[in-house]
Amino acid sequence: MDELDILKKSWNQPNAEHEKLSVKDIYPMLQKKSSSIVKMLFYISIAELIFWSLINTLPYFYSDEFRQKLEAIYTNEYILTALTVLSYSIILLFIYLLYKSYKSISVTDNAKRLMESIIKTRKIIKYYVLYNLIMAGISIIIGLYYSLHNDPNVSVQFSDFNTKQLVISFAVIGFFTIVFIASIWLFYRLIYGLLLKRLNKNYKELKKLEL
């Protein structure tokens, strides 16, 4: 149990001196904890950028088969480049916004502004997760489209399917797409959700101070 929990536990005790100390000390503790959480989110976002960069670039440069298959599917290199630039631009923007939130929380000396910064940080995370889930679905659809039209092995196989086989195939692809997107959501839920829960707890404590 940290200092903040100890103060909260005795908040309602009939001791004026202790209550005065609590009001004086509890805000800096909430500020410090909130700042630490946003700082952790900032570091996680940088780690995620490095992780996805390695996942996307290493196979391309070290596997001729992977590079040839990718180039065969995406015959229009501008689409692949545009998707890559867009994805990394969003991640970099997300990192920048988190850094701004961290600096804002670190220097604020007003409970109301701190609450506003916490709300803003929560929105940034939620929009970022939503963007990644949407982009995952779009990327799968684009990849499937180009595979059907530009990958000879895939296009020939699908051209031999009857209507029932096509329906089953697309149903299986749809199922695994949902599973894949759900896995990404679960990943963000575990990584970012736990920290957001702690940040939300700080927000509720700040609201109590404002009353």
Side-chain angles (χ1 to χ4, degrees), residues 129 132-133 178-194:
V129 171
N132 278 323
L133 294 177
I178 293 173
V179 170
F180 177 71
I181 294 175
S183 299
I184 295 176
W185 175 83
L186 182 61
F187 167 79
Y188 285 119
R189 180 74 175 177
L190 292 174
I191 300 298
Y192 292 109
L194 293 175

Side-chain angles (χ1 to χ4, degrees), residues 27 105 108 110-122 202-210:
Y27 171 78
I105 290 175
T108 186
N110 181 278
K112 185 177 180 180
R113 284 199 291 268
L114 180 55
M115 290 169 66
E116 291 173 351
S117 296
I118 290 175
I119 292 174
K120 186 176 180 180
T121 302
R122 286 161 51 190
N202 290 354
Y203 174 79
K204 291 179 179 178
E205 294 299 330
L206 282 166
K207 286 189 70 174
K208 293 179 182 178
L209 288 179
E210 286 286 288

